[in-house]
């Protein structure tokens, strides 16, 4: 599914930008056939045409407000208004994409040893526009890990224009670490104190383009444009030495994605 454009990508330059700014553009790395295949499978899953036991579904808020998105409901029947689908590594099409050679090369450049997947997730803003997502960081106690991951690769399956659901972030904000120990949504007073609106950068993308997103960079997205869907697939990679420390439920087990070959002798 890799595009011809991906073959000439200067990975070293991309990673240097990522280190400095907390994000980087990979360009259009998913080819047309790959875009159509993943769009089709995303809709298959939302409409119940393909089913994998144990997948996570979150319906979207009918109000367009992130705060109103229902929690804990799971699958609510066929719908194109789900906000999130998780555990997409269960699906062969999404698994093939997150294990492609370019992503492996990038992950191995950042993460020593064996590499596992924290999550493989579809973020969806449906035909009604979906909901906004405020500034947040992906880590902290909410994630319940012994080590903070710092690599997510986000692939657009639909165009995400400025003012239409594209990612927005604060370059360099990852360097200060977590705003709160809990992680997740950044408190409004901290957003105001940082004068975040003055520093925000929009990252409009076309379908097939991919972005590297550091877990700690402040990022958000607004609502999509009515009648125009915005599907995006994100895979978060981390060291296999990372373990889950949550107490309320059984600790999570993370699927391996890139193993170092065993050496003989």
């Amino acid at each position: 599914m890799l595009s011809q454009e991906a073959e000439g990508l200067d990975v070293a330059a991309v990673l240097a930008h990522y280190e400095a700014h907390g994000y980087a553009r990979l360009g259009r790395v998913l080819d047309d056939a790959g875009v159509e295949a993943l769009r089709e499978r995303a809709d298959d899953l939302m409409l119940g045409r393909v089913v994998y036991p144990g997948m996570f579904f979150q319906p979207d808020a009918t109000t367009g407000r992130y705060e109103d998105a229902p929690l804990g409901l799971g699958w609510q029947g066929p719908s194109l208004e789900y906000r999130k689908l998780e555990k997409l590594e269960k699906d062969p099409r999404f698994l093939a994409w997150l294990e492609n050679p370019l992503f492996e090369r990038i992950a191995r450049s950042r993460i020593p040893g064996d590499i596992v997947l924290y999550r493989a997730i579809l973020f969806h803003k449906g035909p009604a526009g979906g909901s906004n997502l405020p500034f947040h960081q992906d880590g902290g106690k909410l994630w319940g890990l012994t080590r903070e991951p710092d690599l997510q690769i986000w692939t657009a399956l639909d165009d995400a224009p400025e003012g239409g659901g594209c990612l927005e972030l604060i370059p360099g904000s990852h360097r200060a670490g977590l705003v709160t120990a809990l992680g997740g949504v950044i408190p409004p007073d901290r957003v105001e104190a940082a004068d975040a609106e003055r520093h925000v950068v929009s990252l409009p993308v076309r379908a097939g383009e991919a972005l590297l997103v550091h877990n700690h960079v402040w990022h958000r997205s607004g609502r999509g444009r009515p009648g125009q869907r915005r599907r995006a697939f994100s895979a978060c990679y981390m060291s296999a030495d990372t373990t889950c420390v949550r107490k309320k439920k059984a600790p999570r087990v993370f699927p391996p994605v890139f193993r170092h070959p065993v050496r003989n002798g």
Side-chain angles (χ1 to χ4, degrees), residues 150-215:
D150 67 3
L151 177 65
Q152 303 179 92
I153 307 182
W154 188 99
T155 307
L157 304 186
D158 297 294
D159 294 350
E162 191 164 0
C166 73
L167 282 183
E168 300 175 350
L169 50 77
I170 308 297
S173 54
H174 65 299
R175 295 196 295 269
L178 290 170
V179 174
T180 67
L182 186 64
V185 174
I186 298 169
D189 62 324
R190 301 295 294 271
V191 173
E192 184 178 356
D195 198 10
E197 293 299 333
R198 189 164 67 88
H199 301 289
V200 69
V201 169
S202 298
L203 298 176
V205 290
R206 301 296 300 271
E209 292 188 57
L211 304 167
L212 304 187
V213 182
H214 194 289
N215 288 56

Side-chain angles (χ1 to χ4, degrees), residues 71-127:
L71 300 175
L73 296 182
W75 170 256
Q76 296 295 296
S79 173
L80 293 179
E81 295 293 348
Y82 284 104
R83 176 179 171 266
K84 290 198 302 187
L85 282 68
E86 201 166 339
K87 298 183 183 282
L88 290 179
E89 69 276 7
K90 292 176 175 285
D91 180 78
R93 293 188 190 180
F94 282 103
L95 180 64
W97 179 239
L98 69 90
E99 289 186 330
N100 75 71
L102 174 62
F103 289 6
E104 179 175 9
R105 184 181 170 196
I106 290 169
R108 289 197 184 280
S109 296
R110 297 279 309 177
I111 304 168
D114 291 340
I115 297 171
V116 297
L117 189 71
Y118 175 76
R119 69 181 184 185
I121 185 167
L122 184 84
F123 294 110
H124 179 238
K125 298 180 189 292

